[in-house]
Amino acid sequence: MNATPTGPRPRRLALAAFGALVAVGLTAGPAAAHSEVKASDPSALAENVTLSFTSEAESDSAGIAELRVVLPKGIAPASVTLKEAPKEWKFTATPDGYTVGGTALATGTDAAYSITVRQLPDEKSLAFKTIETYGDGKVSRWIEVPTGGQKVENPAPVLDLKPAAPGAKPIAPSPSPTPTSAPSAAPSVQPPPASASAATATTAEEDGSGGGGTATAIGVAAVVVVLAAAAVWWLRRGRGRN
């Protein structure tokens, strides 16, 4: 009597192992970012750096028409200029970044463009949150920033920076713009404060320069009184003789 095998055959073991590997591959998470960025000099505080972006086309019915980017902290929209973009695409600064777009690209064509940044900030990494808009209105948002080594479904393009070169310093901000209209040459005339007028009047009374009219009136009154008294005395004297 033949014994019945108690364990799985080698072929079944191999198939089971292959299936496990496929399952792990399917559940391992998303692959590389669908929007990427590279730099001509990926160093902190580097100046006049060219950043090249590539956004992969994912729609089967329309092409990419516009990319909206939110700049990371430390890069102002005014310090960014367009270097290269698809034909007829335009660059427009926004309060928190910029947009670049125009006529929709052919379906399945990746959107590639580059910008020049005056200076990169002193950071370890920079995330450029990107929103893709297609010609048919479809929107893809690559705005999630991975933290703690965790993977995300819609990762933003992230640029890792090397430490700043020795002696590198932040560029001083540009001076404030000069006013377009010149100030008036004639100074404004204002009345003197009341306290100053009171002080002037007090000084005049103390040195006598402000009381001449009062002294004259008193002197005239005294003379009139004296003359009146003399006249009365003269009349009384004349009556006494008669």
Side-chain angles (χ1 to χ4, degrees), residues 28-230:
H34 291 263
S35 186
E36 301 177 349
V37 57
K38 296 181 180 179
S40 59
D41 184 2
S43 302
L45 299 180
E47 300 180 24
N48 300 318
V49 179
T50 297
L51 299 182
S52 300
F53 293 85
T54 301
S55 292
E56 297 181 6
E58 295 186 317
S59 174
D60 296 330
S61 59
I64 299 175
E66 182 185 78
L67 300 172
R68 185 184 187 283
V69 176
V70 176
L71 290 169
K73 181 180 179 182
I75 301 181
S79 67
V80 177
T81 56
L82 181 65
K83 184 175 183 180
E84 188 176 3
K87 187 178 181 180
E88 297 182 356
W89 277 30
K90 296 181 179 180
F91 176 92
T92 304
T94 62
D96 59 357
Y98 63 86
T99 61
V100 56
T103 304
L105 302 177
T107 303
T109 302
D110 296 343
Y113 72 95
S114 60
I115 59 174
T116 300
V117 179
R118 183 70 183 88
Q119 185 181 42
L120 298 180
D122 190 5
E123 301 288 346
K124 293 183 178 180
S125 64
L126 304 173
F128 297 83
K129 298 180 180 181
T130 302
I131 299 177
E132 301 175 359
T133 301
Y134 291 80
D136 60 358
K138 177 184 177 182
V139 175
S140 295
R141 304 175 184 274
W142 305 106
I143 59 175
E144 295 181 283
V145 181
T147 57
Q150 297 181 355
K151 293 184 178 181
V152 293
E153 294 183 359
N154 301 296
V158 176
L159 178 66
D160 294 325
L161 299 181
K162 298 182 295 184
K169 296 181 180 179
I171 298 175
S174 58
S176 302
T178 304
T180 55
S181 58
S184 174
S188 59
V189 179
Q190 299 181 353
S195 58
S197 301
T200 303
T202 302
T203 304
E205 291 178 1
E206 290 177 352
D207 61 13
S209 60
T214 303
T216 302
I218 295 175
V220 171
V223 171
V224 171
V225 171
V226 171
L227 291 176

Side-chain angles (χ1 to χ4, degrees), residues 8-21:
R9 296 180 180 180
R11 183 178 180 181
R12 292 180 180 178
L13 290 173
L15 290 175
F18 178 76
L21 290 174

